[in-house]
Amino acid sequence: MKKRKSPCIDQCDFSGSKGWCLGCGRTRNECQKWKSMTPYNMTILQKELKKRMLKIKVEMS
């Protein structure tokens, strides 16, 4: 089974109010666990990241 590519865009900045990375939306813990996550959990997280990134954009504006 092919591993999914990390959502990281090499702009790691966890200074947001919720502790999410401003580049990809993950927490530090989620970044560390990415490689050991099951494909199902990766899918769930990726859906959540889309929502988080929208919230981050609203916060930043």
Side-chain angles (χ1 to χ4, degrees), residues 4-57:
R4 292 192 190 178
K5 188 176 181 224
S6 169
C8 181
I9 60 169
D10 293 326
Q11 293 182 348
C12 302
D13 180 358
F14 295 92
S15 64
S17 64
K18 303 213 185 253
W20 299 335
C21 173
L22 301 180
C24 70
R26 297 181 295 171
T27 63
R28 288 182 189 271
N29 191 35
E30 290 165 341
C31 291
Q32 291 170 345
K33 292 183 178 182
W34 179 260
K35 288 183 180 180
S36 63
M37 284 183 165
T38 64
Y40 176 79
N41 287 334
M42 286 179 179
T43 300
I44 299 289
L45 180 56
Q46 286 178 319
K47 288 179 182 179
E48 179 65 26
L49 293 178
K50 289 178 184 177
K51 296 174 191 174
R52 289 182 190 177
M53 291 307 295
L54 288 173
K55 290 179 183 179
I56 288 171
K57 286 180 183 177

